[in-house]
Amino acid sequence: MDTHHSLVFRFLLDRRFHWLRYASLCLALLVFSISEISFNYNQLLNSDTNELYFILLITNCFMCKILLFAVLVKVLVPHILNRGRYGFFILNLLSFSLLFVVIQYVIEGVICSGCNITSRYSAPLSYIVLDAIVLNMQWFIVVTGILVGICIKRMAHEKQLNQQQQAEKLQMESAMIKQQISPQTLCTTLHTCGERAQSDAEATSAALLQFSKVLRYQLYDSRRELSLLKSEIDFVREYLAVLLFDGICKSFTINAEGSIMGVMVPPLIFTSLMQYSEPVGNIDCHFEVNSDNLRFTLSDGRTYVDFSTAHKRLLQLYGNRYLLTISNFQIYLTIPIS
């Protein structure tokens, strides 16, 4: 049985049944109010002249319950419970419950004195305490039902969010694979090797060896969630050597500042910023390792770069804890490393 299409599931979570859920709860509160007033003031049911006071008592009881329900749903749950402050939530719930019970008692006493009938609060103290306990037990049942519904809705939302994140992760992995083995780079490298094989066999052999290292790293080492920064820098060096051989860049330099030993970073995080559709001049890469972050500076003369795919992957990896900017023909990427 598919629970996502069951009537109970749709009634509890489907936004189309939003007002139906509120209407059902209000109806339940109205039934509670009628039963409570009928039990304590059954003498009013036998008198036609007191029907108005009977309706006023029910209205007062119902409105106090509705107001407490509104405070629970609109204030306590979104601003306290959803932030994980459970003790403060329970304390506020008990305080507001007591407040509205007192308000109901006071207004009920005024109505009873207006129609010259005996209030239930003229009974012995033990009866009043028992009545208050029963009244709060009703609220306990209602509140428990509301909180269970909220928890079910939150679990369904978290499950949907997790599925969405998994789908985005698969999409990012697919995009990363597409960036790993670029058909354009592959064809360009093989074509260049074919042209220079006889004129400069030694350089061609070295370029093929570097290109094989690039492919090996992309196919195997990049499957890990994290890799050593030193390995990534070595990969960037091999990758830029291939671009240099293909004529995509004229020269390149790589500098590292700070201790890179033991620093872990996601694989291919830097070469995703080095996807060139046309030749560039010098490519300068600078890695600066600080105590809690790593700053990567790429200078290649580009003024406009579409980093939408890179932004999506960085957002998935770091949330809002990264910074990617372009300024003065330079690209700056700052990521946390602790």
Side-chain angles (χ1 to χ4, degrees):
M1 179 178 172
D2 189 0
T3 56
H4 287 75
H5 295 87
S6 65
L7 182 61
V8 176
F9 186 89
R10 285 184 292 174
F11 176 76
L12 290 176
L13 302 179
D14 199 326
R15 292 186 177 182
R16 293 176 297 179
F17 296 97
H18 177 74
W19 293 108
L20 182 59
R21 291 193 291 270
Y22 282 144
S24 301
L25 184 58
C26 290
L27 180 61
L29 296 180
L30 180 61
V31 171
F32 282 153
S33 302
I34 293 174
S35 62
E36 179 182 336
I37 298 302
S38 300
F39 176 78
N40 290 283
Y41 299 99
N42 54 2
Q43 69 273 20
L44 298 179
L45 297 175
N46 301 323
S47 175
D48 295 336
T49 58
N50 291 326
E51 286 183 356
L52 177 61
Y53 295 105
F54 185 73
I55 294 175
L56 289 177
L57 290 172
I58 294 177
T59 302
N60 169 57
C61 184
F62 176 69
M63 290 303 299
C64 288
K65 289 177 168 55
I66 286 293
L67 290 175
L68 181 55
F69 166 70
V71 171
L72 174 66
V73 173
K74 298 298 183 180
V75 179
L76 299 184
V77 169
H79 298 290
I80 299 179
L81 181 63
N82 288 346
R83 296 180 180 179
R85 305 172 65 183
Y86 303 109
F88 191 56
F89 169 78
I90 295 175
L91 181 62
N92 277 271
L93 179 61
L94 294 176
S95 300
F96 278 103
S97 298
L98 180 61
L99 174 64
F100 282 104
V101 167
V102 171
I103 292 175
Q104 177 185 339
Y105 286 0
V106 171
I107 297 177
E108 190 172 311
V110 173
I111 295 174
C112 290
S113 63
C115 62
N116 295 322
I117 60 174
T118 303
S119 171
R120 58 174 163 171
Y121 307 116
S122 60
L125 181 61
S126 59
Y127 178 84
I128 297 176
V129 173
L130 180 63
D131 182 73
I133 293 175
V134 172
L135 181 63
N136 283 278
M137 283 299 296
Q138 292 178 349
W139 263 113
F140 176 77
I141 296 173
V142 173
V143 170
T144 302
I146 294 173
L147 296 180
V148 168
I150 291 173
C151 291
I152 293 175
K153 187 174 181 179
R154 180 185 295 179
M155 290 172 60
H157 177 71
E158 290 178 353
K159 183 178 180 181
Q160 182 181 3
L161 185 62
N162 186 43
Q163 292 175 347
Q164 183 179 356
Q165 291 176 346
Q166 291 295 331
E168 291 178 355
K169 182 178 180 180
L170 292 175
Q171 185 179 3
M172 288 297 101
E173 290 178 353
S174 176
M176 188 175 68
I177 291 174
K178 291 178 180 178
Q179 289 182 356
Q180 287 178 1
I181 307 175
S182 172
Q184 181 180 358
T185 303
L186 178 62
C187 292
T188 301
T189 303
L190 294 178
H191 178 71
T192 306
C193 289
E195 287 184 341
R196 299 176 58 179
Q198 295 184 359
S199 61
D200 194 352
E202 186 176 350
T204 302
S205 177
L208 286 174
L209 180 60
Q210 289 172 333
F211 190 56
S212 66
K213 292 180 180 179
V214 169
L215 293 178
R216 188 182 303 112
Y217 187 88
Q218 290 177 332
L219 288 174
Y220 300 107
D221 295 72
S222 64
R223 294 183 179 180
R224 305 188 184 100
E225 291 186 3
L226 294 173
S227 61
L228 287 171
L229 176 59
K230 183 180 183 304
S231 300
E232 279 294 307
I233 294 177
D234 292 339
F235 170 71
V236 170
R237 184 176 290 106
E238 299 290 347
Y239 178 75
L240 292 180
V242 172
L243 296 184
L244 178 63
F245 178 78
D246 293 339
I248 295 178
C249 69
K250 295 181 180 180
S251 62
F252 69 87
T253 57
I254 298 178
N255 298 307
E257 181 181 346
S259 177
I260 65 174
M261 299 302 296
V263 178
M264 307 292 289
V265 295
L268 307 179
I269 196 70
F270 307 112
T271 52
S272 62
L273 308 177
M274 303 178 189
Q275 303 299 316
Y276 301 101
S277 57
E278 57 185 22
V280 295
N282 179 67
I283 299 178
D284 182 21
C285 301
H286 182 74
F287 299 85
E288 182 181 352
V289 181
N290 298 314
S291 58
D292 56 353
N293 62 64
L294 165 65
R295 188 178 190 187
F296 172 66
T297 305
L298 174 64
S299 303
D300 52 18
R302 290 182 295 176
T303 57
Y304 172 76
V305 187
D306 183 12
F307 285 141
S308 57
T309 304
H311 270 298
K312 289 180 181 179
R313 188 183 176 209
L314 289 167
L315 185 63
Q316 182 185 11
L317 292 170
Y318 299 107
N320 58 354
R321 297 181 297 128
Y322 78 95
L323 180 63
L324 179 61
T325 58
I326 302 176
S327 176
N328 298 327
F329 304 102
Q330 291 182 324
I331 301 167
Y332 302 95
L333 172 62
T334 303
I335 56 176
I337 58 174
S338 59

